Amino acid sequence: MDAFLPLIPFLPLIGFAINGLFGARLSKTAVGIIGSGVLLVSFLLSVACFNQVAASGAIQHTMYNFFTIDSMRVDFGFLVDQLSVWMMLIVTGVGFLIHVYSIGYMHDDEGFWKFFAYLNLFIFSMLLLVMGDNLLMLFFGWEGVGLCSYLLIGFWYTNKEYGKAARKAFIMNRIGDLGLLLGIFLIFKTFGSLNFTDIFSRLPEMRLDPAAVTLICLLLFVGAMGKSAQLPLYTWLPDAMAGPTPVSALIHAATMVTAGVYLVARCNPLYSLSPDALHVVAFVGMVTSIFAAIIGLRQNDIKKVLAYSTVSQLGLMFIGLGMGAYASAMFHVTTHAFFKALLFLAAGSIIHGMGGEQDIRNMGGLRKAMPVTFWVFLIGTFAISGFPLLSGFFSKDEILALTYAHGGVWWWGFAGFGALLTVIYMSRLLYVTFFGEFRGTEEQKHHLHESPAVMTVPLVILAILSVLGGLLNTPHFMHLGTPQWLASWFGPVIPAADMHLPESTEWSLMTFTTSLALVIIAGLYFVYTRRGNLPVADEAQTGLTRVVANKFYVDEIYDFLFVKPVEIGSRLLHYADTLFVDGIVTGVAKGVERLGAQFRKLQNGNIEYYLIGMVAGAVLLLLSLFV
Amino acid sequence: MSLILIIIPLVVSVFVLLARPNGVRSIALAATLANLAVSAFACVGFSGDGSFNHLVDLPWVAGAGIHFRLGMDGISLLMVLLTNLLAPLIVLSSYGRAMENESRYYGLVLMMLGALNGVFLALDGLVFYVFYELALIPIYFICAIWGGQDRIRITLKFFIYTFIGSLFMLVSLLYVYLQTPGEHSFAWEALMRVQLTPEAANWVMLGFFLAFAVKMPVFPFHTWQPDTYTASPTGGTMLLAGIMLKMGVYGVIRWMVPLASEAMHFWTPVFIVLAVTGIVYASIIAVKQSDLKRLIAYSSIAHVGLIAAGVLAWNKAGVQGSLIQMLNHGINVIGLFFVVDLIERRLGTRTLADMGGIAKAAPVFAALFMIVMLGSVAVPLTNGFPGEFLLLNGVWNYNVWLGGVAGLTIIFGAVYMLRAYGLAVFGEANEETARFADVDTREWIVLGVIAALVLVLGFFPGIVLNLTDGSVTRILGTVQL
């Protein structure tokens, strides 16, 4: 297996190269088969890896030495352990489904081949990120996925707004990356290595200054905030919806944005040494989770609602991490990958059927025309809302229970509040889109159709995963068989979180949140299927609603605080540079020039004359060597 | 071997200038390729332990201790490879330009090449100085004759700036020379062994620094640079940004620090702060530039500021980072200026506002430009990354706060380059850009070679770093602070 390991990331890179170089001359079928095919092979190889890891533990493989600077030895190497192989399965598995879906979704786009090339490049980067055996490899993938995100958000490049969104994503990510980079420097200084295995094996015998550990953790977390769209670096993610919908599903929901969660989970031995850092993580997660959910309540673009939902769900994962429940956060990463990919792809199916329409106020009653999309969207909504026995129910409940156990009732209350807001905006989305009367134009009504099988089959598979995904890690107290399988799978990398609650407490917590969720789902049905309660037009919004609908004006505030000052500073400095800094020097030069004017009479202005004189001088100098 | 590298371009230069043969472009290209082959051949059996290979030692003014001494350690070898790798690309990229007095232009380019090789090979203080000045003359004429608007005033400023800087260096060199024991000598080793009093060392270092800081340029000695880069013909800009500014960095590593190491404690904080200030200062100015060429000029100040800061940190990561970054910055900046030239020849403008939508009409060009741009932004697995990583690490090791401020370059770099790329290539096409012709064969070769280098050196930076590892270890061991 070891020898095949590099194939897992490099096959998608080869796919990128083939489609990127020759895609324009290939048929769309060929492009689609190459793009998805490499991923299928990668997925199968990942499954093989999984079996090997299950049988004989982690695999380490070094391809070559990237560079060595004294003791800083960085290899292009892979570490496939329980944690990374799990991420590989998600990335290649969900990635494959989304590639297949894209064959249908992007079929009429002239950039079809380019789309698949970029998507493959993304998978390559994401695999480097999770498979790297050292922090620099992780950083390669980390920045690589940011680049692909930039390329794909700005995929329809003629639109200037999309270009801006793409740039915003890249630059915000880079702000986070600077934090990560400084964290990497500090780690190397502290541990003398960038290799995960070295760092974590040296950790126990080192007597570290707690402040240093906290600083390392916080710097890494700055990176995570950028990549996983946490406050204050979240504003790029909603704008990232400018990209084609499969991109939103794959990159901006299922995989890339969970990289921050992966990073913290990967570095859990460090975080566990710093309660302060964990508190910060949990706090940022909680604020983000609630803040984004509130904004989500008042969005009317179907993809924007899902985007804020993603930000909010990521916040929930960080709450879990902050409580030390790393495995539970990874569990939620997994189920979220299923149901959020499902929701986005279903949204894509709707947009496809509606001829590009994204405003839910112009939809309504779609369940008749798009039955498959409706059912899978319903499953996705229920899964994310925590409907009993669906995947989100288990993963969300586990985080909430551990939050109660480790943080107490207040933390639990706030985290639960964020989770219930999710139920509200998701139900609203479901009902307004699929129930009631159709509100679009006649032309849209005529155009409305269910998507082809190449799109619906991946949807159905994801729907099945969204239903059953929770069984990976059922709680002990429910006696559903294979209890806590995923947590024990992660065991060698992530120590189990301590759940010290009596079963009765767990039951009552769960019953409480679940019944509230059910009441909301049921109640909102009656609210949003009536015409009078539909979301109003933008102009008609007043007061607080308007503030929320405008996302608390955070973009405007950032613009005022950061973008404008830099732009003004740029103009001012440019002016100062030419006027003052240069002026002094030019003044001196002017004096010399006047002096030069006196000598000018000696010169005849024939350049030939100077040149030959000069060359002759040079030649003479050289000749003098041999005399 | 060392001598051949200097003689080929100089002899061909003299021939071209005097004989003015037909097909001068091909002669120039052949000469640069020959030099590239020689420098590649110089790698064979190269001893990378930091000793000098391919030594040449001819008595020149032997009585005064002046010898024509040349030699190559890993650092020189890298600089020579940089020079001779870029030279054919520079010549080839000038092909598209119809100009008067072609033979004069290519003759000057070749003369420049000879002088640059001399600078990087010299092991005698005076030989170094002579080549250092000799390099200034052809580039002055290139800019003054074939430059753009206002070229006379601008090149004069450039000339005076650098010439005065060099004079300070000459004074420093002479001072150290006079301190050599017994029969005075300009030999590098002899100069290095001189123990200077702290006060003298401070002045000597300042003299060197003024020369090199102007050449790179380091803030606030940079004000000649944006004008000169913008007004020069593309080939001249490439020579200036791709190779010539590296003379300054190389001078710091080979001459300034070893000769006046006693002054490092005194000056390093000042110099590094200037260099790091320049990174942020130039980056911010670059953000709103409307002229693409000027934007790249400012970005070059930012990049070289980081390179300078890394060298001055004088640790392994910083110096190694600066060396690999000199090569890669050279490759990328030549690519970027070539892109500007290509756009200007097609659209007749360098103003970003007049561009847009080029991707549609010229997809190959857009893709190659993208790769070069990513290298410049230092995305991992492009050539810009390893150097930037090591440089920032080096500066950070020197002082964490300076490292953090210098790190802003990864944010600003993305801001101005992505803005420039987006305005030029993305967006709706206008009447002019809709007819933008994609790259022709010659352009494809230049940009294709550069893009290939961006990726190969991005994946395998070890190739370059291993070349210089031994020499850097040795020089850091010899000159300790």
Side-chain angles (χ1 to χ4, degrees), chain A residues 155-286:
Chain A
F155 183 74
W156 289 306
Y157 58 82
T158 47
N159 186 319
K160 275 200 169 154
E161 287 306 310
Y162 293 2
K164 269 189 194 156
R167 253 146 58 198
K168 182 173 174 182
F170 193 81
I171 290 161
M172 275 215 159
N173 268 295
R174 274 251 159 148
I175 296 174
D177 293 353
L178 178 57
L180 176 56
L181 195 64
L182 296 176
I184 290 175
F185 291 163
L186 190 55
I187 285 183
F188 180 75
K189 190 166 186 173
T190 312
F191 297 96
S193 174
L194 292 175
N195 198 291
F196 290 124
T197 320
D198 290 348
I199 297 169
F200 300 138
S201 65
R202 284 171 201 178
L203 197 55
E205 67 227 42
M206 291 180 79
R207 297 190 172 276
L208 292 171
D209 177 9
V213 180
T214 302
L215 188 57
I216 289 176
C217 291
L218 291 180
L219 285 170
L220 298 183
F221 184 56
V222 171
M225 287 196 293
K227 199 59 82 196
S228 294
Q230 296 297 291
L231 235 52
L233 298 178
Y234 73 98
T235 58
W236 66 271
L237 186 59
D239 287 9
M241 298 302 125
T245 306
V247 172
S248 310
L250 177 62
I251 302 182
H252 303 120
T255 56
M256 180 184 90
V257 289
T258 61
V261 182
Y262 168 80
L263 175 66
V264 176
R266 168 61 71 197
C267 297
N268 72 79
L270 283 168
Y271 280 88
S272 293
L273 291 179
S274 173
D276 292 345
L278 285 178
H279 275 123
V280 173
V281 172
F283 182 75
V284 169
M286 192 189 73

Side-chain angles (χ1 to χ4, degrees), chain B residues 305-316:
Chain B
L306 182 58
I307 294 177
V311 171
L312 291 162
W314 206 249
N315 53 43
K316 192 75 182 280

Side-chain angles (χ1 to χ4, degrees), chain A residues 472-525:
Chain A
L472 289 166
N473 210 35
T474 55
H476 286 285
F477 66 94
M478 289 180 73
H479 307 296
L480 288 168
T482 64
Q484 302 284 340
W485 176 82
L486 191 61
S488 55
W489 166 257
F490 286 139
V493 190
I494 303 173
D498 173 30
M499 176 80 91
H500 48 70
L501 296 176
E503 282 194 10
S504 60
T505 316
E506 287 195 56
W507 272 112
S508 30
L509 292 174
M510 191 176 73
T511 316
F512 181 74
T513 44
T514 307
S515 35
L516 263 180
L518 291 176
V519 168
I520 292 171
I521 293 175
L524 287 181
Y525 175 80

Side-chain angles (χ1 to χ4, degrees), chain A residues 230-491:
Chain A
Q230 296 297 291
L231 235 52
L233 298 178
Y234 73 98
T235 58
W236 66 271
L237 186 59
D239 287 9
M241 298 302 125
T245 306
V247 172
S248 310
L250 177 62
I251 302 182
H252 303 120
T255 56
M256 180 184 90
V257 289
T258 61
V261 182
Y262 168 80
L263 175 66
V264 176
R266 168 61 71 197
C267 297
N268 72 79
L270 283 168
Y271 280 88
S272 293
L273 291 179
S274 173
D276 292 345
L278 285 178
H279 275 123
V280 173
V281 172
F283 182 75
V284 169
M286 192 189 73
V287 177
T288 308
S289 148
I290 294 175
F291 188 76
I294 291 175
I295 297 177
L297 293 173
R298 282 286 168 263
Q299 298 301 308
N300 293 317
D301 179 322
I302 187 167
K303 289 181 70 180
K304 285 273 163 77
V305 178
L306 293 175
Y308 280 105
S309 157
T310 306
V311 176
S312 173
Q313 293 293 309
L314 289 164
L316 184 66
M317 294 174 206
F318 281 103
I319 298 176
L321 293 170
M323 294 297 150
Y326 310 105
S328 313
M330 287 306 298
F331 180 31
H332 201 56
V333 164
T334 313
T335 59
H336 181 260
F338 297 152
F339 58 66
K340 193 50 73 64
L342 170 65
L343 284 166
F344 264 116
L345 293 186
S349 173
I350 296 169
I351 296 166
H352 192 72
M354 293 282 297
E357 178 65 59
Q358 294 187 199
D359 193 325
I360 54 171
R361 288 171 295 195
N362 299 330
M363 297 176 184
L366 296 186
R367 70 177 191 282
K368 290 168 212 131
M370 310 182 76
V372 182
T373 307
F374 165 66
W375 280 107
V376 297
F377 199 92
L378 181 100
I379 291 170
T381 306
F382 281 10
I384 196 176
S385 303
F387 192 87
L389 303 184
L390 299 190
S391 59
F393 166 78
F394 290 108
S395 56
K396 192 187 285 191
D397 180 69
E398 195 177 304
I399 291 181
L400 289 178
L402 279 160
T403 305
Y404 186 86
H406 292 265
V409 68
W410 282 104
W411 281 94
W412 174 81
F414 280 114
F417 177 61
L420 288 177
L421 288 175
T422 306
V423 183
I424 299 177
Y425 63 71
M426 285 309 300
S427 308
R428 168 178 175 269
L429 186 63
L430 177 74
Y431 298 140
V432 174
T433 310
F434 287 100
F435 291 82
E437 297 289 307
F438 184 72
R439 296 178 296 273
T441 60
E442 273 307 307
E443 198 190 334
Q444 282 172 330
K445 192 165 188 170
H446 184 69
H447 176 262
L448 204 57
H449 62 278
E450 183 57 278
S451 299
V454 68
M455 288 165 71
T456 50
V457 171
L459 284 174
V460 171
I461 297 174
L462 284 168
I464 294 169
L465 289 169
S466 301
V467 173
L468 300 179
L471 300 179
L472 289 166
N473 210 35
T474 55
H476 286 285
F477 66 94
M478 289 180 73
H479 307 296
L480 288 168
T482 64
Q484 302 284 340
W485 176 82
L486 191 61
S488 55
W489 166 257
F490 286 139

Side-chain angles (χ1 to χ4, degrees), chain A residues 64 66 69-70 72 136 140 143 157 170 174 185 570-571 574 577 582 585 608 611 614-615 624-625, chain B residues 14 20 60 68 104 137 157 161 222-223 281 284-285 288-289 298 316 377 380 393 410 427 459 462:
Chain A
Y64 64 92
F66 189 71
I69 305 291
D70 286 351
M72 187 189 282
L136 210 60
F140 296 167
E143 287 243 301
Y157 58 82
F170 193 81
R174 274 251 159 148
F185 291 163
S570 177
R571 293 220 165 83
H574 179 66
D577 195 50
D582 188 37
V585 187
E608 224 74 75
L611 284 184
M614 187 173 80
V615 174
S624 68
L625 283 174
Chain B
V14 171
R20 300 196 200 167
W60 196 2
F68 195 83
R104 215 190 260 166
I137 296 161
K157 183 163 91 181
Y161 234 128
H222 65 278
T223 60
Y281 180 87
I284 291 182
I285 294 182
K288 280 310 244 185
Q289 287 301 311
Y298 275 109
K316 192 75 182 280
V377 178
N393 188 230
I410 77 167
F459 270 89

Side-chain angles (χ1 to χ4, degrees), chain B residues 404-464:
Chain B
V405 176
L408 292 175
T409 189
I410 77 167
I411 300 168
F412 282 121
V415 173
Y416 59 73
M417 285 312 294
L418 294 187
R419 169 179 171 271
Y421 187 85
L423 286 175
V425 176
F426 292 152
E428 291 283 356
N430 60 34
E431 240 174 70
E432 293 289 318
T433 55
R435 289 185 279 112
F436 198 94
D438 213 334
V439 289
D440 64 27
T441 314
R442 182 187 59 86
E443 292 161 344
W444 208 105
I445 292 173
V446 174
L447 278 180
V449 167
I450 289 173
L453 286 168
V454 166
L455 295 175
V456 171
L457 295 173
F459 270 89
F460 305 102
I463 306 173
V464 180

